Amino acid sequence: MEYIVQQVLNALSFGAEYALLALGLAIVFSIMGLVNFAHGEIIAVGGYTMVAFASLAIGNPMIVMAGAVLAAMLASLTLERVAFRPVRKADPTTGLLTAFGVSIVLQNLFLLFVSPRPIAVTSLYFLDWSIEIAGIRLASLQVFETLTTIIVIIALMLFLRRTVLGLAVRAASLDFEMVRLTGIRANRVFAIAFLISGLLAGLACIFIMARRGSVDPHLGFEPVLKAFVACVVGGFGSLPGAVLGGFLLGAVEVAMLVMLPQSLGGMTDAFVFMIVAMILIWRPDGILSPAVEKGDKL
Amino acid sequence: MIRLSSSQKSGLVGAALLALVLVAIGLLTTYFGSRYQVRLVYSAYVNLIVVLGLQVFMGNARITNLSHSAFMGIGAYAAALCVTPENIKKISLPDAPWGLAQFSLDPVVSALIAVVITAVLAFLLGMLIVRLTSIGATIVTLAILVIIHAIFLYRTDIFKGNQAFFGIPQVFNLTSVIAIAIVVVIVCRLFRESRWGIQLRASADDEVGAAAMGVQIYRLRLIAWVLGAVILAVAGICYAYFLGTISARPFYFNHVFLTLAMLILGGMRTVTGAVLGTFLISFGLEGVRYLETGPVFLGIDLPEALGLSGIALGAVIVLTMALRPTGIMGNREIETLFVRQRH
């Protein structure tokens, strides 16, 4: 019983991390059709901010966490202004390759100006202790992660449904020109989307850093790759799809970790991706894919 | 006698012009280049074959592929496993399963086997790729790259992971790789101008329209995908047969970035763009690498700057996309620069 509860919680916390990141990717994609490969570098910016706080001898964990999230949001906003605005109207492939280039540049900037080696960050260890509920031992970090994701999803839903700006964001994913005709500034909608995306990346960064305890230039790569796969499985551009894909991926990954023998330990990701590929044979556009208009609009 | 269409004729002219350029660079290197420069030019030609293999799928179907280095790796390892002499394999791969260490074949047969293995694998994976929408396909190719790299690292008993797989006979020199590159240029160009190539490019411009005209998009994408993989396998074989040692590392992200930047800079829609981009970046990057080591330049002692070449590559991609998304060549092939087109 204890074992099952633990594995379910494992699956939920893995899934929560992927869902957070996948949501950040999906909200940007739904509005401007941009596959943001640089999302992982936003996470790394958060990680390096923690390093900066540590070297300034600021130990207060609340300041460290808030600083990391703010830095991630700022970085996300800056990328939109500097790199993605010129390709705003371009086709998805152009946007994808731009983001890919931005990601390479940022990774190498970290390499050049900080260090190619991992740097330890110890200020977040306090998040992780083991708690006991009804005789079942759980890791607090996993509980926090799952709860945070649930709160974020609810908050995001309220924002998108109850506020004018949220409505504009949702409408922009359907018909951007129409939104502009109603007098809402395009730049503001893009800024909001990237801010939300950065916020989600910053939150994910806290949990990733609390678990890993160190930051290197490739910090964000692996989680974001998983988040991409989650987006593809859920249906690229669909927010519920991103959440569903994230949790599904978490469940498959934990199932693989439990079922695969120890000797195949290094191959977990390969098996996870293969199972995901099977889902894509069944539904090539993802499970909850939004309807795509391929022809000309009349 | 095969009747060629006018675009196929001009394609042959273009391929011949590119072949002249390739031979000229090769001759210059052979007569004036140092040993180091010959190696450099050789690797530029291997990358050229990679970029051409990438162009066949990316340029015609216009789906970004990020798994190409993995297929190059499959070709290189398959050929290396076949061609390496038994006595060396007994030392380097003592635990190899399925009797892999108990045979060795001659280089040509090994190369053929490697190409067939890569083609079969590409066909199986391609059946999944071609059905996806463009973004989904790109992410799945990324996943394929990660999976294949994980297999190279995990099965150290066959591939030796990040350690060197040594003892491959060094049967190739600059002349052989130039000859192969010229053949590949001609193949790519003829594919681009063939019925299949034109239909595929049409489907990239307007998927619904092309399908309505009877173009079998999935089948054509699969053909381009497998042809691309075969060319990539050839590139891997050229790499292994010249260096004599391979490891998993060169078939991963850094190489993906490098070759992708080459294709994007030159322009992925044309074969000429692929050739131009490869040579521009190959030689341009040498200059950046020189700066990276922290040389004394004009009397100023520059600091060591690891990562500068990565920044340069990323910047090339970002700037090309922002300023000229179709690359330097756009839709123009080399012969259109010299011959006035009749319309």
Side-chain angles (χ1 to χ4, degrees), chain A residues 35 37 93-94 97-98 100-102 104-105 108-109 112 221 225 228 232 263-264 267 273 277 280-281 284-285 294, chain B residues 64 128 131-133 135 139-140 142 146-147 151 154 207-208 253 257 260 305-307 310-311 314-315 317-318 321:
Chain A
V35 181
F37 264 100
T93 308
T94 308
L97 292 172
T98 307
F100 198 65
V102 169
I104 302 170
V105 170
N108 284 285
L109 283 177
L112 183 59
F221 172 70
L225 175 62
F228 271 127
V232 173
S263 59
L264 284 172
M267 298 291 292
F273 289 150
L280 287 178
I281 293 173
D285 290 330
K294 280 179 175 165
Chain B
T64 309
L128 171 65
R131 279 159 44 85
L132 301 172
T133 47
I135 300 297
I139 306 293
V140 172
L142 187 59
V146 173
I147 293 177
I151 293 172
Y154 174 68
E207 194 175 327
V208 176
F253 270 101
F257 297 154
L260 200 62
L306 208 67
I311 294 173
I317 296 180
V318 174
M321 281 298 137

Side-chain angles (χ1 to χ4, degrees), chain A residues 189-272:
Chain A
V189 176
F190 282 114
I192 282 290
F194 274 88
L195 269 182
I196 295 174
S197 172
L199 170 73
L200 298 174
L203 288 174
C205 168
I206 292 174
F207 295 111
I208 293 170
M209 290 299 292
R211 199 174 306 127
R212 285 187 33 159
S214 71
V215 52
D216 61 60
H218 308 289
L219 174 76
F221 172 70
E222 203 193 324
V224 169
L225 175 62
K226 296 267 177 65
F228 271 127
V229 174
C231 278
V232 173
V233 173
F236 224 117
S238 147
L239 301 188
V243 176
L244 176 75
F247 280 105
L248 191 70
L249 198 66
V252 171
E253 187 163 347
V254 170
M256 284 296 114
L257 284 170
V258 172
M259 292 188 321
L260 284 180
Q262 279 288 309
S263 59
L264 284 172
M267 298 291 292
T268 317
D269 283 351
F271 278 92
V272 172

Side-chain angles (χ1 to χ4, degrees), chain A residues 16-75:
Chain A
E17 185 188 312
Y18 300 149
L20 271 183
L21 294 172
L23 263 178
L25 294 171
I27 198 160
V28 166
F29 182 83
S30 70
I31 291 174
M32 65 181 285
L34 173 79
V35 181
N36 192 357
F37 264 100
H39 206 57
E41 280 58 50
I42 303 284
I43 300 176
V45 166
Y48 282 114
T49 309
M50 294 180 187
V51 173
F53 275 119
S55 62
L56 291 171
I58 298 172
N60 186 332
M62 286 302 143
I63 297 178
V64 171
M65 290 197 291
V69 172
L70 273 179
M73 288 167 81
L74 267 180

Side-chain angles (χ1 to χ4, degrees), chain A residues 112-126:
Chain A
L112 183 59
F113 289 111
V114 190
S115 163
R117 296 176 196 291
I119 305 172
V121 173
T122 51
S123 50
L124 293 177
Y125 282 162
F126 77 97

Side-chain angles (χ1 to χ4, degrees), chain B residues 56-78:
Chain B
V56 170
F57 184 71
M58 242 178 99
N60 292 312
R62 293 206 206 120
I63 296 174
T64 309
N65 176 12
L66 301 173
S67 65
H68 50 282
S69 300
F71 286 102
M72 182 190 172
I74 294 171
Y77 271 113

